Every structure is written in C-alpha cells, then in structure tokens.
Amino acid sequence: MGTELAKSTMSEIDLEYVVVKIGTEQYGINIKYVDNITRLQKITRVPNVQPYMQGVMNLRGEVVAVMSLRKKMGLPADEFTNSTRIIILKLNSQDEVGIIVDEVKEVVNLEESEIEKVFYDVKDEKSSYISGIGKHNGELISLLDIGAVISDKVYLPFRIVSVISVVQSESLYHFTVPPS
C-alpha cells in the first residue's frame, strides 16, 4: 500500500520556479536553469554588443555575460535598488549567463494542472519569451521560456578569461584572443 501511494504522488509532476519581479509583473524561471543568485556587482561594459547586454562580471574567477531582461523584453531601463539581483543561469555544462531582475520573491512548486500554455505570434519575438502562465495562491506568474530569452542568435558566450576585442560582422559577433 505504501508503494502505491508513492507511485500516485510521483505521477503528478511538480515543477519548481524561482519567482522574480520585473517592474510590476511576476515572472517564473524554471529552477533547473538557476545556478546562483547574487547581489548586484560591478559589471564591465563590452563594446559593440546588443543593447540589452549589460556587459560581463567576475563570478568566482569566471567571466559571465550579464543581460538586462528589462531591455530584452522592451521594458524601461533597469532601476537598481537593494533588491536588485543577478540570476546566473546555467544553459549547459559550460555556458552561463546572468540576468538582472528587480527582485527575487520566492521559489514555488507548480503542478502541471496549475500551468496554462500560451500561444504566441511567431512574428513577435517578445511574445515567445513566455511559455505559460502559472497560478499560485491566487496570483498569476508568467513563466519564462529561457531557451527563447537566451537564444543562440542573441546570447554571446563569454568563456574566455578576458575579452580582448570584439569584431562585429553583420549580425554575428566573433571574439578574438591574440596568441599568448
């Protein structure tokens, strides 16, 4: 009887989301992508990158690209306060990117039944950033599609210790490091 109870509770999948505020709205980031949450630190600007790329920061000796989620989503510029945080997202085993959020509120568990899928206009890139709407304690949480927000077209991996030069070629960016 105990194994049947365990099987029935395991069949309903709970997904964990870090709930953040950006402006007046709440957004959820699937916790499987979250590597670290840190206070705002010094961000070094990098020339010739997309306007929403704030620059790079040093996180425990690693150079991590930092982007403004507000700018990426077409919202007003970031307002830095004591609540501002940088969420370090681990996209795969090597690539990390930091996103600036106004505030980290909490971690919530959402059952699949509490998530409504959304449909978006394929011509509107910004509408594809939301994968669903979560319902938690009477509030709505827009669930971010991290793959769409941090797409290969726009995310610049900073896996080198120091960015020496950035050369722009049409919409592609190439990083060159002179030989040691």
Side-chain angles (χ1 to χ4, degrees):
M1 184 159 169
T3 57
E4 288 177 26
L5 179 61
K7 285 181 184 175
S8 68
T9 57
M10 299 266 304
S11 65
E12 183 68 41
I13 298 173
D14 282 355
L15 300 170
E16 286 186 296
Y17 289 88
V18 175
V19 178
V20 301
K21 284 196 79 167
I22 301 171
T24 58
E25 300 296 322
Q26 293 190 118
Y27 295 89
I29 300 171
N30 191 317
I31 203 161
K32 74 179 181 180
Y33 295 111
V34 177
D35 183 55
N36 194 351
I37 299 174
T38 182
R39 291 184 178 276
L40 189 62
Q41 309 182 17
K42 181 179 186 287
I43 298 171
T44 303
R45 296 282 307 152
V46 176
N48 300 319
V49 295
Q50 299 287 350
Y52 51 82
M53 292 304 292
Q54 292 296 105
V56 294
M57 66 182 240
N58 182 347
L59 182 68
R60 297 181 303 275
E62 296 290 323
V63 177
V64 177
V66 178
M67 72 183 292
S68 167
L69 208 47
R70 279 175 165 257
K71 286 182 183 178
K72 175 77 182 212
M73 295 170 61
L75 299 172
D78 294 291
E79 299 171 15
F80 301 118
T81 68
N82 287 337
S83 298
T84 302
R85 296 291 182 265
I86 298 174
I87 298 181
I88 308 300
L89 302 174
K90 192 91 159 170
L91 305 174
N92 57 44
S93 63
Q94 296 178 2
D95 294 332
E96 292 180 324
V97 64
I99 58 171
I100 300 170
V101 299
D102 295 343
E103 178 183 354
V104 174
K105 291 189 65 175
E106 62 184 327
V107 175
V108 299
N109 290 321
L110 296 176
E111 295 178 5
E112 287 182 354
S113 62
E114 297 175 303
I115 299 173
E116 302 245 348
K117 292 291 180 198
V118 294
F119 298 97
Y120 58 89
D121 181 359
V122 292
K123 295 177 186 175
D124 180 15
E125 181 183 357
K126 290 182 180 93
S127 70
S128 70
Y129 298 160
I130 307 298
S131 63
I133 304 294
K135 295 175 260 176
H136 182 72
N137 292 339
E139 294 185 345
L140 298 179
I141 303 166
S142 298
L143 305 176
L144 291 174
D145 179 348
I146 295 302
V149 173
I150 315 292
S151 67
D152 289 339
K153 294 183 288 187
V154 296
Y155 168 60
L156 307 174
F158 289 95
R159 285 183 271 177
I160 56 178
V161 175
S162 60
V163 178
I164 306 302
S165 65
V166 179
V167 180
Q168 183 178 5
S169 170
E170 296 181 326
S171 64
L172 300 174
Y173 293 91
H174 305 279
F175 293 93
T176 58
V177 179
S180 328

